[in-house]
Amino acid sequence: FARAQAIRSAVEANAESGLNNSVLFECFNGRRGGDNVEPLYQALRTQLPDWDFYWSNSQKRFAAPDGAASVTPGSSEYIQALFRSRILVNNAEFPAYYRKQPGQLYVQTWHGTPLKKIGNDIHSAGISAQYRAKMRRETRYWDVLLAQSDFAAEKFASAFSSSASVITDGYPRNDVLADAGEYARVRGETRNQLGIGEDEVFVLYAP
């Protein structure tokens, strides 16, 4: 009942005064930061200095990036941000009670290369009707979908029932590897943290 009241209050406030100049960021249902979402936060924070930024943070599991306010999923503050922010950024999905509001821009970053079957490409015996319904509802809200390669864009097209504009131009969490200056900095910091010398060969095995 409290959640329904909070949703109604947010929708009514939106109808009365419009969307706020704010952005809500969510990564893996608020369980952590990072992935493709945080690089977009850093970019938008620079481009929209006068806007408010909210970061979905389940049970305060991590420190929100500097300049962003933490909001707990399901709280009235989170619901206000979800229904009234002009821009939404997510790498998974928002709660089942979310309904996109007129004028909102939803940027879906996803969270990796689809080397396994996902969404509509999963055999019907492997997923529930509830999951399929959730995917249909969620994907029709997307306005922009990021793909890191032509391969990923092709797989997303068959996996998701979405009319979102697909942008195939790098991938936020990997873009540091294409920036020689930034890559050198991160490379140096990583080696220092792991105690690896500049002349030592370091191999990461991540199947």
Side-chain angles (χ1 to χ4, degrees):
F1 176 78
R3 185 175 67 191
Q5 290 290 90
I7 292 172
R8 183 165 64 184
S9 174
V11 172
E12 289 176 349
N14 180 14
E16 181 176 338
S17 56
L19 296 172
N20 294 326
N21 286 338
S22 60
V23 188
L24 172 64
F25 300 85
E26 185 161 302
C27 180
F28 294 119
N29 308 112
R31 293 194 300 273
R32 66 181 178 86
D35 199 65
N36 289 310
V37 181
E38 188 165 355
L40 289 185
Y41 165 72
Q42 299 299 344
L44 287 175
R45 183 184 178 194
T46 300
Q47 295 174 20
L48 304 171
D50 297 328
W51 285 39
D52 294 319
F53 299 98
Y54 301 99
W55 198 280
S56 173
N57 194 340
S58 178
Q59 300 175 352
K60 302 296 187 289
R61 295 188 181 199
F62 57 91
D66 290 342
S70 287
V71 287
T72 302
S75 68
S76 58
E77 294 81 8
Y78 172 86
I79 289 172
Q80 283 285 333
L82 179 61
F83 283 86
R84 298 206 62 201
S85 290
R86 198 171 299 279
I87 301 175
L88 307 174
V89 181
N90 204 326
N91 75 338
E93 71 273 345
F94 284 114
Y97 58 78
Y98 171 64
R99 298 295 181 269
K100 186 178 179 182
Q101 299 302 293
Q104 285 187 318
L105 176 71
Y106 185 165
V107 179
Q108 173 58 241
T109 71
W110 203 244
H111 47 265
T113 301
L115 299 178
K116 64 180 182 180
K117 292 185 182 300
I118 57 176
N120 298 328
D121 291 338
I122 302 176
H123 191 277
S124 58
I127 55 176
S128 66
Q130 182 180 15
Y131 173 84
R132 287 192 181 278
K134 178 185 73 173
M135 289 301 297
R136 284 195 300 269
R137 180 186 65 249
E138 178 76 14
T139 57
R140 76 169 184 261
Y141 292 151
W142 300 348
D143 295 295
V144 176
L145 172 61
L146 304 187
Q148 65 274 50
S149 64
D150 292 336
F151 169 82
E154 178 183 347
K155 295 302 180 183
F156 289 157
S158 62
F160 301 134
S161 302
S162 176
S163 59
S165 297
V166 179
I167 297 177
T168 307
D169 182 23
Y171 215 40
R173 70 185 190 188
N174 296 336
D175 284 349
V176 62
L177 303 177
D179 182 333
E182 185 67 7
Y183 171 69
R185 182 187 68 79
V186 174
R187 178 183 185 275
E189 290 179 354
T190 303
R191 282 180 170 266
N192 288 336
Q193 290 172 2
L194 297 175
I196 301 170
E198 282 297 318
D199 58 345
E200 293 181 85
V201 176
F202 173 45
V203 178
L204 171 64
Y205 175 61

